[in-house]
Amino acid sequence: MDWYTLIKDNFAAIGTLAGVIIGLLGAFVQAFMTKRLDLKQKELDAQRTYREKNLVSPIITFVDGMLQMMDKAYWDMMDGNPPGIDKNLVKHRDKEGMIKARISAFSDEELVEAFNTLSVKYGRFWGCLRQNELSKAYDEKEEAHKQAGIIFDRIKPRLTK
């Protein structure tokens, strides 16, 4: 028996076997690619979670705390009361370096500039309060709010990358 006759007589079996092999190979490639994509997605999710938990959230919490202390102190002074937050101010101020480092990790000059400006406005605000210059303190507080808005706007895309 020659090869031609052998193939001709067993064509259906050979075709079926070839189909099974191709199907198995396709299933393997699909499983491999799916697993690879799943791993890549898990890695991206882990990076996003890390970025949000360790970089973005501390920045937002810190800036929110700054604004909250400024607002409380300003309105306390407007009501004729001393701003009783000295302990919080010291604790908060001590965290500024950590937050600057997190902001620098984004390599975004506009974000760095906005935070530096916010820090300056924050310091000036407290100086104005100590001098009992409430009008100037209000202006510094409002500028700080604008800088905080810029910071939040620049951080927002970091949550989706």
Side-chain angles (χ1 to χ4, degrees):
M1 182 186 278
D2 62 354
W3 282 103
Y4 177 73
T5 306
L6 181 66
I7 292 174
K8 182 179 159 190
D9 290 345
N10 296 300
F11 188 75
I14 293 171
T16 301
L17 182 60
V20 168
I21 291 171
I22 291 171
L24 289 173
L25 185 60
F28 172 77
V29 168
Q30 181 183 8
F32 175 77
M33 294 305 289
T34 300
K35 184 69 170 174
R36 189 169 167 199
L37 289 173
D38 285 347
L39 290 174
K40 184 66 175 169
Q41 188 59 48
K42 285 179 182 177
E43 181 182 334
L44 290 173
D45 289 345
Q47 289 173 359
R48 187 177 302 115
T49 300
Y50 174 85
R51 188 172 32 255
E52 182 177 342
K53 181 181 175 189
N54 297 304
L55 298 176
V56 174
S57 289
I59 293 168
I60 291 171
T61 300
F62 183 83
V63 172
D64 280 347
M66 281 178 119
L67 300 178
Q68 185 178 22
M69 279 193 284
M70 290 172 79
D71 289 339
K72 181 177 180 351
Y74 176 78
W75 290 110
D76 283 351
M77 292 287 287
M78 286 296 289
D79 292 341
N81 301 320
I85 58 171
D86 291 331
K87 289 180 185 177
N88 289 338
L89 180 60
V90 170
K91 287 179 188 175
H92 192 78
R93 191 177 54 203
D94 290 346
K95 294 179 183 177
E96 186 175 6
M98 294 183 304
I99 298 304
K100 279 186 177 184
R102 285 170 168 83
I103 286 175
S104 294
F106 291 119
S107 301
D108 181 336
E109 288 302 316
E110 197 172 327
L111 180 59
V112 169
E113 182 62 31
F115 186 78
N116 288 340
T117 303
L118 173 63
S119 293
V120 168
K121 296 297 177 185
Y122 187 68
R124 287 182 183 165
F125 168 82
W126 290 104
C128 291
L129 279 189
R130 285 186 193 98
Q131 300 298 319
N132 206 23
E133 296 175 337
L134 294 180
S135 177
K136 288 182 181 178
Y138 179 83
D139 292 341
E140 295 296 342
K141 180 175 77 79
E142 290 302 304
E143 263 309 303
H145 288 173
K146 289 178 187 173
Q147 294 304 312
I150 293 169
I151 291 167
F152 294 150
D153 188 55
R154 298 298 297 177
I155 286 178
K156 189 172 35 178
R158 308 298 197 245
L159 292 171
T160 57
K161 284 187 177 177

